[in-house]
Amino acid sequence: MQVLSRLKGKSLVEPEDFSLDEMDGLFELSENIERNDKYLRESCRGKLLAALFFEPSTRTRLSFEAAMLRLGGSCLGFAEPGSSSASKGESLADTIRMAASYADAIVMRNPKEGAALLASRYSSIPVINAGDGGHHHPTQTLTDLLTIKRLLGKIGNLTVGFCGDLKFGRTVHSLAKALARYENIKLIFISPAELTLPEYIKNNFKKQNAQFDERENLEKSMPELDVLYMTRVQKERFFNEDDYIRLKDTYVLDSDKMASGREKLVVLHPLPRVNEISVEVDSDRRAAYFIQAKYGMYVRMALLASILGVIC
Ligand code: NCD
């Protein structure tokens, strides 16, 4: 885990900001923390995390706060922009300069694509991107990869299906980009024609020589998959409510569809779920989305301890 000393003081804006070795180090550290809940406890005593959430969040914000508190550190911040000076017209650059003068690390979610990159340029402390519009969400990717590793024992040699809103789903963009860096990964993208992956993500796969395929039918793809990553249609990113209503229930994963999935299939979802996974699937042993959310806390503990430099 020596490799994690390289992360001290680093920001995480996009999924490729960390090397595969560094991510492996984070997964190993997460597993140690999960096994022994005293591990690293109190290591961040006296450190402050500023959590700046300009968009709604349940898991990401709470798991970051839980992670920091479990490490013995403290949190400050806001859960909605209305309670910050952004509502008075303050620029993001100025808000970030202030947070950087009070805290030791910043985690930020913002509706604008590129906001985290901008923040990292104005900040004197590490900035963690907790979602920038429909662009990226790299700590959800750490969560997703750790879950795959824990449940399947590996990240390479897998066929991974993504289903739902692939156009606006930032977790899809980040995870697909990250998976394409591993050996022998086949990516299958299942969406209606209006919600396919953005071209800039596909162009990246072409550069990486990644194997990928785009389809509309979930049922027919089920038997091929090692991992199925379901996503919600991102209502807040639509310009037109009629389009959202027309597309929102395009895919519903239910017991009938699960019946054609492999025995060792892992079903992931970044959550929140709306209608795209029916509740009857929750009791299927292949449904892993709630444990996935818990792994998110461990990997965020590993991430915070690394960037705050308390493990070297
Ligand atoms: C995701 C997000 O915010 O992009 N949620 C999360 O962080 N776990 C997915 C979503 O909102 O649909």
Side-chain angles (χ1 to χ4, degrees):
M1 264 182 289
Q2 188 61 33
V3 73
L4 292 182
S5 60
R6 297 208 297 252
L7 298 187
K8 183 177 177 184
K10 269 190 92 171
S11 289
L12 176 59
V13 173
E14 293 216 6
E16 281 156 319
D17 288 347
F18 292 174
S19 68
L20 294 186
D21 278 1
E22 290 162 351
M23 291 204 290
D24 264 354
L26 287 175
F27 301 146
E28 198 184 323
L29 182 56
S30 312
E31 288 174 41
N32 289 344
I33 295 169
E34 184 192 348
R35 266 196 297 272
N36 175 1
D37 72 353
K38 295 198 178 61
Y39 197 70
L40 293 182
R41 199 189 270 181
E42 301 304 313
S43 61
C44 287
R45 170 98 18 232
K47 304 270 187 201
L48 278 175
L49 174 68
L52 313 182
F53 279 75
F54 295 88
E55 267 195 340
S57 171
T58 298
R59 275 148 292 272
T60 307
R61 188 171 66 82
L62 294 187
S63 64
F64 262 111
E65 292 189 3
M68 192 59 179
L69 296 172
R70 281 170 180 259
L71 293 168
S74 308
C75 304
L76 69 167
F78 50 83
E80 46 168 308
S83 60
S84 80
S85 284
S87 64
K88 300 183 192 166
E90 183 171 58
S91 70
L92 179 61
D94 287 358
T95 304
I96 290 295
R97 283 190 187 102
M98 292 303 98
S101 65
Y102 305 140
D104 299 290
I106 294 171
V107 55
M108 182 184 77
R109 171 169 288 182
N110 192 287
K112 294 209 176 87
E113 306 194 353
L117 180 63
L118 182 137
S120 69
R121 293 198 172 143
Y122 282 92
S123 177
S124 52
I125 61 174
V127 173
I128 302 169
N129 181 7
D132 59 328
H135 191 215
H136 279 298
H137 191 347
T139 69
Q140 182 65 44
T141 298
L142 293 174
T143 302
D144 303 336
L145 292 175
L146 173 64
T147 310
I148 293 172
K149 184 161 182 284
R150 292 286 279 103
L151 300 182
L152 293 175
K154 59 178 184 180
I155 303 178
N157 299 311
L158 295 172
T159 300
V160 182
F162 290 85
C163 178
D165 185 347
L166 312 186
K167 179 179 181 187
F168 297 117
R170 55 193 173 196
T171 65
V172 172
H173 305 163
S174 291
L175 178 58
K177 233 177 149 193
L179 280 169
R181 299 166 80 192
Y182 288 84
E183 282 293 302
N184 197 20
I185 291 283
K186 183 168 180 200
L187 303 167
I188 297 180
F189 297 106
I190 305 153
S191 71
E194 287 131 299
L195 296 178
T196 54
L197 273 186
E199 282 306 313
Y200 74 91
I201 301 277
K202 285 192 262 184
N203 289 340
N204 203 66
F205 295 149
K206 289 173 195 153
K207 275 190 232 144
Q208 288 171 295
N209 275 328
Q211 294 182 67
F212 74 99
D213 194 9
E214 293 182 284
R215 306 180 185 170
E216 288 200 31
N217 192 303
L218 171 59
E219 259 137 317
K220 285 194 192 141
S221 305
M222 286 298 288
E224 281 173 70
L225 307 177
D226 298 301
V227 177
L228 171 60
Y229 196 89
M230 291 298 294
T231 61
R232 145 186 98 88
V233 175
Q234 307 275 301
K235 182 178 184 193
E236 65 276 34
R237 315 250 180 257
F238 277 67
F239 292 113
N240 175 337
E241 193 170 359
D242 292 344
D243 287 343
Y244 168 70
I245 291 169
R246 185 167 49 79
L247 293 166
K248 72 183 172 70
D249 293 325
T250 312
Y251 302 102
V252 179
L253 182 66
D254 55 16
S255 299
D256 284 350
K257 293 193 187 75
M258 287 297 284
S260 54
R262 292 184 179 175
E263 201 189 318
K264 287 203 171 139
L265 171 72
V266 171
V267 179
L268 301 179
H269 190 309
L271 302 178
R273 148 196 43 199
V274 186
N275 283 328
E276 59 283 352
I277 302 184
S278 65
V279 287
E280 68 196 19
V281 177
D282 297 356
S283 54
D284 189 303
R285 60 185 160 66
R286 297 168 293 176
Y289 28 91
F290 293 119
I291 186 74
Q292 175 187 4
K294 187 159 187 194
Y295 289 142
M297 179 181 71
Y298 297 126
V299 85
R300 288 174 175 120
M301 287 175 80
L303 174 66
L304 288 171
S306 303
I307 66 168
L308 291 169
V310 299
I311 50 168
C312 40

